[in-house]
Amino acid sequence: MKHLSGSFLISAERLPQCPDYMLPEFPLLGRSNVGKSSFINAIANNKKLAKTSNTPGKTRLINFFNFSDKFTIADLPGYGYAKVSHEVQARWRKNLEEYLLNRKQIKSLIQFIDARHDVQKNDIQMREWVAAHNLPIITIAAKIDYVPKSKVLNVVSGIKNRFGGVVLPFSALENRYCEDILDTLFDMISSQAGAEKF
């Protein structure tokens, strides 16, 4: 599999601080510690590009990454866990809503679901918010390597039945999943902008 060259751009708390790039952008949504950073590192073939942690709630800002000047990925703070005050959480929510609703570069949201468990309540709440605002979104079933191979299709089908749309499995250990996801991202980019596919 070919990998893209990934580089960190900037961290931002609010929309006005986001980078002034016109590349297609894919924000990553998901519960804390669901594997968003591992996904960024996998498609860049660089285990140190995005910081991974076993401690939930480490990502506090929107972290932007450029991939070969083809697109950017925005790693958002994970929902469902944070040892901060309700006031801080409310400020995060306001800032993220402002970004998700008004950032013109966004091509599609990507929601990560932990394939090891049933879809969680806050996963559903996030999806309901996305649907209420009619935002484009695809779903990634993360940590699929923890699921027995005989059950992978059932897990993916279960998430698809719950959310509909495109659902793709992902494992940081198997490159073939990255390739399928990248193909999907580039199909979305080229279908709307006529961009050359990687």
Side-chain angles (χ1 to χ4, degrees):
M1 169 189 163
K2 282 187 176 181
H3 287 276
L4 298 164
S5 173
S7 59
F8 173 73
L9 287 174
I10 193 173
S11 295
E13 183 178 16
R14 300 175 56 246
L15 180 63
Q17 301 167 347
C18 294
D20 188 21
Y21 271 59
M22 293 312 296
L23 295 173
E25 195 160 288
F26 296 97
L28 308 186
L29 309 173
R31 289 168 53 83
S32 294
N33 208 31
V34 76
K36 303 192 304 301
S37 296
S38 295
F39 170 72
I40 291 170
N41 292 342
I43 61 175
N45 195 28
N46 180 352
K47 294 181 179 180
K48 297 183 178 180
L49 179 57
K51 292 181 181 179
T52 60
S53 173
N54 291 325
T55 304
K58 283 293 185 181
T59 301
R60 303 294 176 92
L61 301 170
I62 306 172
N63 296 315
F64 292 88
F65 299 86
N66 181 329
F67 285 86
S68 298
D69 287 331
K70 301 288 186 178
F71 61 84
T72 57
I73 278 182
D75 186 16
L76 274 57
Y79 52 79
Y81 182 98
K83 289 185 176 180
V84 296
S85 67
H86 290 297
E87 180 182 352
V88 171
Q89 290 190 44
R91 186 174 74 242
W92 284 358
R93 190 176 304 112
K94 179 184 177 184
N95 290 340
L96 291 176
E97 287 184 359
E98 177 190 31
Y99 161 75
L100 291 171
L101 294 176
N102 298 300
R103 178 76 166 164
K104 298 185 185 304
Q105 290 90 333
I106 293 176
K107 182 66 62 175
S108 175
L109 311 183
I110 303 176
Q111 185 177 14
F112 283 68
I113 303 295
D114 192 332
R116 301 172 299 176
H117 310 296
D118 292 335
V119 177
Q120 302 294 299
K121 182 179 179 179
N122 45 17
D123 293 323
I124 297 170
Q125 291 173 335
M126 173 57 74
R127 197 54 164 249
E128 289 173 343
W129 182 88
V130 170
H133 294 282
N134 198 31
L135 301 176
I137 190 167
I138 64 172
T139 309
I140 289 181
K143 303 191 178 186
I144 204 73
D145 46 289
Y146 289 95
V147 176
K149 293 188 183 299
S150 61
K151 295 183 178 180
V152 167
L153 287 179
N154 287 341
V155 168
V156 172
S157 296
I159 296 173
K160 188 175 180 64
N161 289 337
R162 167 71 76 169
F163 289 149
V166 175
V167 180
L168 300 167
F170 168 70
S171 162
L173 304 178
E174 297 187 50
N175 285 339
R176 62 191 178 94
Y177 292 123
C178 290
E179 196 163 354
D180 289 343
I181 295 169
L182 285 174
D183 284 344
T184 299
L185 299 188
F186 279 110
D187 283 344
M188 284 191 287
I189 293 170
S190 60
S191 65
Q192 294 185 31
E196 182 180 352
K197 187 175 178 181
F198 174 73

